[in-house]
Amino acid sequence: YLERLAGETEETAFYSVRKDGSRVPLYVHESRHVTRTQVEIGMAVSLTNGCISRAILAFLPEQEIDRLLHKESIVAVTPWSITDPKQIRKSIAEVRARGYSVGIREIAQNTNAVAAPVFNGEGVIASIAIVGPTERLTKKACEKFGPLVRDYADKVSEEIGFHSVEAFPSSGARKA
């Protein structure tokens, strides 16, 4: 799926798993462009930082979201990072409504991203994302690719056994 997603978007595609209060990239398929964004396998990123993390955060139980947003201060990685818990909650509502998250320069100043959650029979477990340079993966391109990224995340979810919204009514999860 990552190879197909990277081929259709011409951007780097990757899969991150949820681990405690973080996400950790496990699989990457790089863009063929000379100018591309590299993703470090195994590097943990807080679930409160960036759209790729928010794709997971949005579908966690409310108590866990509260704990993560109030655990400690949220550190800005770039001037565009969202650090205010109220703004993060607003973004979470958007992610739940659309099924994908868009990040503009949140983790790196010259990088934008789109991500969607992956579910199994127990809840949200991961996210699939594309990431690329701001010149090519513009905000408009992110919005264009959002449904595609969501569709790939849904396919992965189906393959690992997620079939029903009813399993997670309080999380806002949707039918895969």
Side-chain angles (χ1 to χ4, degrees), residues 2-52:
L2 294 179
E3 183 177 354
R4 283 191 241 156
L5 183 58
E8 287 184 51
T9 63
E10 298 185 358
E11 300 300 348
T12 297
F14 65 103
Y15 180 85
S16 296
V17 296
R18 175 182 165 206
K19 183 176 181 187
D20 302 319
S22 300
R23 68 166 172 87
V24 179
L26 284 188
Y27 304 104
V28 177
H29 190 85
E30 288 192 353
S31 167
R32 292 186 206 160
H33 288 284
V34 173
T35 304
R36 61 181 172 257
T37 303
Q38 291 185 320
V39 176
E40 289 189 49
I41 298 287
M43 186 177 99
V45 177
S46 170
L47 288 179
T48 58
N49 289 100
C51 79
I52 299 159

Side-chain angles (χ1 to χ4, degrees), residues 43-111:
M43 186 177 99
V45 177
S46 170
L47 288 179
T48 58
N49 289 100
C51 79
I52 299 159
S53 294
R54 252 187 332 278
I56 296 170
L57 182 67
F59 296 96
L60 294 176
E62 285 300 323
Q63 295 141 325
E64 192 167 350
I65 294 171
D66 288 342
R67 183 181 60 78
L68 289 168
L69 292 180
H70 295 99
K71 183 178 178 183
E72 56 190 62
S73 62
I74 300 164
V75 179
V77 181
T78 73
W80 297 275
S81 296
I82 301 172
T83 58
D84 177 13
K86 288 181 184 176
Q87 287 300 107
I88 293 172
R89 285 195 178 282
K90 181 179 176 188
S91 182
I92 284 172
E94 292 171 3
V95 174
R96 288 176 177 171
R98 299 189 303 189
Y100 64 89
S101 180
V102 172
I104 305 299
R105 300 178 177 203
E106 289 185 63
I107 296 295
Q109 291 190 27
N110 298 314
T111 301

Side-chain angles (χ1 to χ4, degrees), residues 9-11 37 51 98 100-105 109-114 130-146:
T9 63
E10 298 185 358
E11 300 300 348
T37 303
C51 79
R98 299 189 303 189
Y100 64 89
S101 180
V102 172
I104 305 299
R105 300 178 177 203
Q109 291 190 27
N110 298 314
T111 301
N112 293 338
V114 181
I130 59 169
V131 63
T134 56
E135 312 79 52
R136 196 171 55 240
L137 190 59
T138 62
K139 184 174 182 177
K140 185 176 182 178
C142 286
E143 294 297 342
K144 172 187 162 192
F145 290 135

